[in-house]
Coordinates of all heavy atoms in Angstrom, one line a residue:
M1 N -73.6 -143.7 103.8 CA -73.9 -144.3 105.0 C -73.3 -143.4 106.1 O -72.2 -142.9 106.1 CB -73.4 -145.6 105.0 CG -73.8 -146.4 106.3 SD -73.4 -148.2 106.2 CE -74.7 -148.7 105.2
A2 N -74.0 -143.4 107.3 CA -73.6 -142.7 108.4 C -73.6 -143.6 109.6 O -74.5 -144.4 109.8 CB -74.4 -141.5 108.6
F3 N -72.6 -143.5 110.4 CA -72.5 -144.2 111.7 C -72.5 -143.2 112.8 O -71.7 -142.2 112.8 CB -71.2 -145.1 111.8 CG -71.1 -146.1 110.7 CD1 -70.4 -145.9 109.6 CD2 -71.7 -147.4 111.0 CE1 -70.4 -146.9 108.6 CE2 -71.5 -148.4 109.9 CZ -71.0 -148.1 108.8
L4 N -73.4 -143.4 113.8 CA -73.5 -142.4 114.8 C -72.8 -143.0 116.1 O -73.1 -144.2 116.4 CB -75.0 -142.1 115.1 CG -75.7 -141.4 114.0 CD1 -77.1 -141.2 114.4 CD2 -74.9 -140.1 113.5
G5 N -72.1 -142.2 116.8 CA -71.5 -142.6 118.0 C -72.2 -142.0 119.3 O -73.3 -141.7 119.3
P6 N -71.4 -141.8 120.3 CA -72.0 -141.3 121.5 C -72.5 -139.8 121.3 O -71.9 -139.1 120.5 CB -70.9 -141.3 122.5 CG -69.6 -141.4 121.7 CD -70.0 -142.1 120.5
S7 N -73.4 -139.4 122.1 CA -74.0 -138.1 122.1 C -74.4 -137.7 123.4 O -74.7 -138.6 124.3 CB -75.2 -137.9 121.1 OG -76.2 -138.8 121.5
A8 N -74.4 -136.4 123.7 CA -74.8 -135.9 125.1 C -75.2 -134.4 124.9 O -74.6 -133.7 124.1 CB -73.6 -136.0 126.0
Y9 N -76.2 -134.1 125.7 CA -76.6 -132.7 125.9 C -75.6 -132.0 126.8 O -75.2 -132.5 127.9 CB -78.0 -132.6 126.5 CG -78.4 -131.3 127.0 CD1 -78.9 -130.4 126.0 CD2 -78.5 -130.9 128.3 CE1 -79.3 -129.1 126.3 CE2 -78.9 -129.6 128.6 CZ -79.3 -128.7 127.7 OH -79.7 -127.5 128.0
I10 N -75.2 -130.8 126.4 CA -74.3 -129.9 127.2 C -75.1 -128.8 127.8 O -75.5 -128.0 127.1 CB -73.1 -129.5 126.5 CG1 -72.3 -130.6 125.7 CG2 -72.1 -128.7 127.4 CD1 -71.8 -131.7 126.7
S11 N -75.3 -128.8 129.1 CA -76.1 -127.7 129.7 C -75.3 -126.4 129.8 O -74.0 -126.4 129.9 CB -76.4 -128.2 131.2 OG -76.9 -127.1 131.9
P12 N -75.9 -125.3 129.7 CA -75.1 -124.0 129.8 C -74.5 -123.9 131.2 O -73.6 -123.1 131.4 CB -76.2 -122.9 129.5 CG -77.5 -123.6 129.4 CD -77.3 -125.1 129.4
D13 N -75.0 -124.6 132.2 CA -74.4 -124.5 133.5 C -73.0 -125.1 133.6 O -72.3 -124.8 134.6 CB -75.3 -125.3 134.5 CG -76.7 -124.7 134.7 OD1 -76.9 -123.6 134.3 OD2 -77.6 -125.5 135.0
H14 N -72.5 -125.8 132.6 CA -71.2 -126.3 132.5 C -70.2 -125.4 132.1 O -69.0 -125.6 132.2 CB -71.1 -127.6 131.6 CG -71.9 -128.7 132.1 ND1 -72.1 -129.8 131.4 CD2 -72.4 -129.0 133.4 CE1 -72.8 -130.7 132.2 NE2 -73.1 -130.2 133.3
Y15 N -70.5 -124.2 131.6 CA -69.6 -123.2 131.2 C -69.4 -122.1 132.2 O -70.3 -121.7 132.9 CB -70.2 -122.4 129.9 CG -70.4 -123.3 128.8 CD1 -71.6 -123.8 128.4 CD2 -69.3 -123.7 127.9 CE1 -71.7 -124.6 127.2 CE2 -69.5 -124.5 126.8 CZ -70.7 -124.9 126.5 OH -70.8 -125.8 125.4
A16 N -68.1 -121.7 132.4 CA -67.9 -120.7 133.4 C -67.9 -119.3 132.9 O -68.2 -118.4 133.7 CB -66.4 -120.9 133.9
S17 N -67.8 -119.1 131.7 CA -67.8 -117.6 131.1 C -69.2 -117.4 130.4 O -69.9 -118.2 130.0 CB -66.7 -117.5 130.1 OG -66.9 -118.4 129.0
Q18 N -69.4 -116.0 130.2 CA -70.6 -115.6 129.6 C -70.4 -115.2 128.2 O -69.2 -114.7 127.9 CB -71.2 -114.4 130.4 CG -71.6 -114.7 131.8 CD -73.0 -115.4 131.9 OE1 -73.8 -115.4 130.8 NE2 -73.3 -116.1 132.9
P19 N -71.2 -115.2 127.2 CA -72.5 -115.9 127.3 C -72.3 -117.3 127.0 O -71.3 -117.8 126.4 CB -73.2 -115.1 126.1 CG -72.2 -114.8 125.1 CD -70.9 -114.5 125.9
H20 N -73.3 -118.1 127.5 CA -73.3 -119.5 127.2 C -74.7 -120.0 126.8 O -75.6 -119.4 127.3 CB -72.6 -120.3 128.4 CG -73.3 -120.0 129.7 ND1 -72.7 -119.0 130.6 CD2 -74.4 -120.2 130.4 CE1 -73.5 -118.9 131.7 NE2 -74.6 -119.6 131.6
F21 N -74.7 -121.0 126.0 CA -75.9 -121.5 125.5 C -75.9 -123.1 125.5 O -74.8 -123.6 125.4 CB -76.1 -121.1 124.0 CG -76.0 -119.7 123.8 CD1 -74.8 -119.0 123.5 CD2 -77.1 -118.8 124.0 CE1 -74.7 -117.6 123.2 CE2 -77.0 -117.5 123.9 CZ -75.8 -116.9 123.5
P22 N -77.0 -123.8 125.6 CA -77.0 -125.2 125.5 C -76.6 -125.7 124.1 O -76.7 -125.0 123.2 CB -78.4 -125.5 125.8 CG -79.2 -124.4 125.4 CD -78.3 -123.2 125.6
T23 N -75.9 -126.8 124.1 CA -75.5 -127.4 122.9 C -75.6 -128.9 122.9 O -76.0 -129.5 123.9 CB -74.0 -127.0 122.6 OG1 -73.7 -127.3 121.2 CG2 -73.1 -127.6 123.5
W24 N -75.3 -129.6 121.9 CA -75.3 -131.0 121.8 C -73.9 -131.5 121.2 O -73.5 -131.2 120.2 CB -76.4 -131.5 120.8 CG -76.8 -132.9 121.0 CD1 -76.4 -134.0 120.2 CD2 -77.7 -133.4 121.9 NE1 -76.9 -135.1 120.7 CE2 -77.8 -134.9 121.8 CE3 -78.4 -133.0 123.0 CZ2 -78.5 -135.6 122.6 CZ3 -79.2 -133.8 123.7 CH2 -79.2 -135.1 123.6
A25 N -73.3 -132.4 122.0 CA -72.0 -132.9 121.6 C -72.3 -134.4 121.0 O -72.9 -135.1 121.6 CB -71.0 -133.0 122.7
Y26 N -71.7 -134.6 119.8 CA -71.9 -135.9 119.2 C -70.8 -136.2 118.3 O -69.9 -135.4 117.9 CB -73.3 -135.8 118.4 CG -73.1 -135.0 117.1 CD1 -72.8 -135.4 115.9 CD2 -73.5 -133.6 117.3 CE1 -72.8 -134.7 114.8 CE2 -73.4 -132.7 116.1 CZ -73.0 -133.4 115.0 OH -73.0 -132.5 113.9
A27 N -70.7 -137.6 118.0 CA -69.6 -138.1 117.1 C -70.4 -138.8 115.9 O -71.3 -139.6 116.2 CB -68.7 -139.0 117.7
A28 N -70.0 -138.5 114.7 CA -70.7 -139.1 113.6 C -69.5 -139.3 112.4 O -68.7 -138.6 112.4 CB -71.8 -138.3 113.0
V29 N -69.7 -140.4 111.7 CA -68.8 -140.7 110.6 C -69.6 -140.9 109.4 O -70.5 -141.7 109.4 CB -67.9 -141.9 110.9 CG1 -67.0 -142.3 109.7 CG2 -67.0 -141.7 112.2
H30 N -69.3 -140.2 108.3 CA -70.0 -140.5 107.0 C -69.0 -141.2 106.0 O -67.9 -140.7 105.9 CB -70.4 -139.1 106.4 CG -71.4 -138.5 107.2 ND1 -72.8 -138.4 106.8 CD2 -71.5 -138.0 108.4 CE1 -73.5 -137.7 107.7 NE2 -72.8 -137.5 108.7
V31 N -69.4 -142.3 105.5 CA -68.5 -143.1 104.6 C -69.1 -143.2 103.2 O -70.3 -143.2 103.0 CB -68.2 -144.5 105.3 CG1 -67.4 -144.3 106.5 CG2 -69.4 -145.3 105.5
T32 N -68.3 -143.2 102.3 CA -68.7 -143.4 100.8 C -67.8 -144.6 100.3 O -66.7 -144.9 100.7 CB -68.6 -142.2 100.0 OG1 -67.2 -141.8 100.0 CG2 -69.4 -141.1 100.6
G33 N -68.4 -145.2 99.2 CA -67.7 -146.3 98.6 C -68.6 -147.4 98.2 O -69.8 -147.3 98.4
R34 N -68.0 -148.4 97.5 CA -68.7 -149.5 97.1 C -68.6 -150.7 98.1 O -67.5 -151.1 98.3 CB -68.3 -149.9 95.7 CG -68.7 -149.0 94.7 CD -68.4 -149.5 93.4 NE -68.8 -148.5 92.3 CZ -69.1 -148.8 91.1 NH1 -69.1 -150.0 90.7 NH2 -69.5 -147.9 90.2
P35 N -69.7 -151.2 98.6 CA -69.5 -152.3 99.5 C -69.1 -153.6 98.7 O -69.5 -153.8 97.5 CB -70.9 -152.5 100.2 CG -71.8 -151.8 99.2 CD -71.1 -150.8 98.5
R36 N -68.4 -154.5 99.3 CA -68.1 -155.8 98.7 C -68.0 -156.8 99.8 O -67.6 -156.6 100.9 CB -66.8 -155.8 97.9 CG -65.5 -155.4 98.7 CD -64.4 -155.3 97.8 NE -63.2 -154.8 98.5 CZ -62.2 -155.5 98.9 NH1 -62.1 -156.8 98.4 NH2 -61.2 -155.1 99.5
L37 N -68.4 -158.0 99.4 CA -68.3 -159.2 100.3 C -66.9 -159.8 100.4 O -66.2 -159.8 99.3 CB -69.3 -160.3 99.9 CG -70.8 -160.0 99.9 CD1 -71.6 -161.0 99.4 CD2 -71.2 -159.6 101.3
L38 N -66.5 -160.2 101.5 CA -65.2 -160.6 101.7 C -65.3 -162.2 101.9 O -66.2 -162.6 102.6 CB -64.4 -160.1 102.9 CG -64.2 -158.6 102.9 CD1 -63.6 -158.1 104.2 CD2 -63.4 -158.2 101.7
D39 N -64.4 -162.9 101.2 CA -64.4 -164.4 101.4 C -63.9 -164.9 102.7 O -64.2 -166.0 103.1 CB -63.6 -165.0 100.2 CG -64.3 -164.8 98.8 OD1 -65.5 -164.5 98.8 OD2 -63.6 -164.7 97.8
E40 N -63.0 -164.2 103.2 CA -62.4 -164.6 104.5 C -62.1 -163.4 105.4 O -62.2 -162.3 105.0 CB -60.9 -165.3 104.2 CG -60.0 -164.3 103.5 CD -58.7 -164.9 103.1 OE1 -58.8 -165.9 102.2 OE2 -57.7 -164.5 103.5
V41 N -62.0 -163.9 106.7 CA -61.7 -162.8 107.6 C -60.2 -162.6 107.7 O -59.4 -163.5 107.8 CB -62.3 -163.2 109.1 CG1 -61.9 -162.2 110.1 CG2 -63.7 -163.5 109.0
R42 N -59.8 -161.3 107.6 CA -58.4 -160.9 107.6 C -58.2 -159.9 108.7 O -59.0 -158.9 108.8 CB -57.9 -160.4 106.2 CG -57.8 -161.4 105.3 CD -57.4 -160.8 103.9 NE -58.6 -160.2 103.3 CZ -58.6 -159.3 102.3 NH1 -57.4 -159.0 101.7 NH2 -59.6 -158.7 101.9
P43 N -57.2 -160.0 109.5 CA -56.9 -158.9 110.5 C -56.5 -157.7 109.8 O -55.9 -157.7 108.8 CB -55.8 -159.5 111.3 CG -55.2 -160.6 110.5 CD -56.2 -161.0 109.6
C44 N -56.9 -156.5 110.4 CA -56.5 -155.2 109.9 C -55.3 -154.8 110.5 O -55.3 -154.3 111.6 CB -57.6 -154.2 110.1 SG -59.1 -154.7 109.2
A45 N -54.1 -154.9 109.8 CA -52.8 -154.5 110.3 C -52.8 -153.0 110.6 O -53.2 -152.3 109.7 CB -51.7 -155.1 109.5
G46 N -52.3 -152.6 111.6 CA -52.1 -151.2 111.9 C -53.2 -150.4 112.5 O -53.1 -149.3 112.9
W47 N -54.3 -151.1 112.8 CA -55.4 -150.6 113.5 C -55.1 -150.6 115.0 O -54.5 -151.5 115.5 CB -56.7 -151.3 113.2 CG -57.3 -151.1 112.0 CD1 -56.7 -150.6 110.8 CD2 -58.6 -151.3 111.5 NE1 -57.6 -150.5 109.8 CE2 -58.8 -150.9 110.1 CE3 -59.8 -151.8 112.2 CZ2 -60.0 -151.0 109.5 CZ3 -61.0 -151.9 111.5 CH2 -61.1 -151.4 110.2
T48 N -55.5 -149.5 115.6 CA -55.3 -149.3 117.1 C -56.6 -149.2 117.7 O -57.6 -148.7 117.1 CB -54.4 -148.2 117.5 OG1 -55.0 -147.0 117.0 CG2 -53.0 -148.4 116.9
T49 N -56.8 -149.6 119.0 CA -58.0 -149.5 119.7 C -57.8 -148.6 120.9 O -56.8 -148.3 121.3 CB -58.5 -150.9 120.2 OG1 -57.6 -151.4 121.0 CG2 -58.9 -151.7 119.0

């Protein structure tokens, strides 16, 4: 399964040095495992936001 985050086009005009080309900045996370249903909601200790 993949989760996609923010993405943005990066124009070559944003680079000061030569050569420069357009690119795409993005964030993605790929996860694997077996899903399971939880009977209760439990806080995730140690997670930071």
Side-chain angles (χ1 to χ4, degrees):
M1 179 173 282
F3 298 93
L4 300 178
S7 62
Y9 172 75
I10 308 296
S11 170
D13 297 336
H14 292 169
Y15 297 100
S17 61
Q18 295 284 339
H20 49 263
F21 306 95
T23 189
W24 197 263
Y26 66 94
V29 175
H30 294 248
V31 295
T32 60
R34 290 184 180 212
R36 62 186 172 111
L37 296 176
L38 301 177
D39 294 334
E40 60 186 60
V41 176
R42 292 179 281 169
C44 296
W47 285 20
T48 59
T49 56

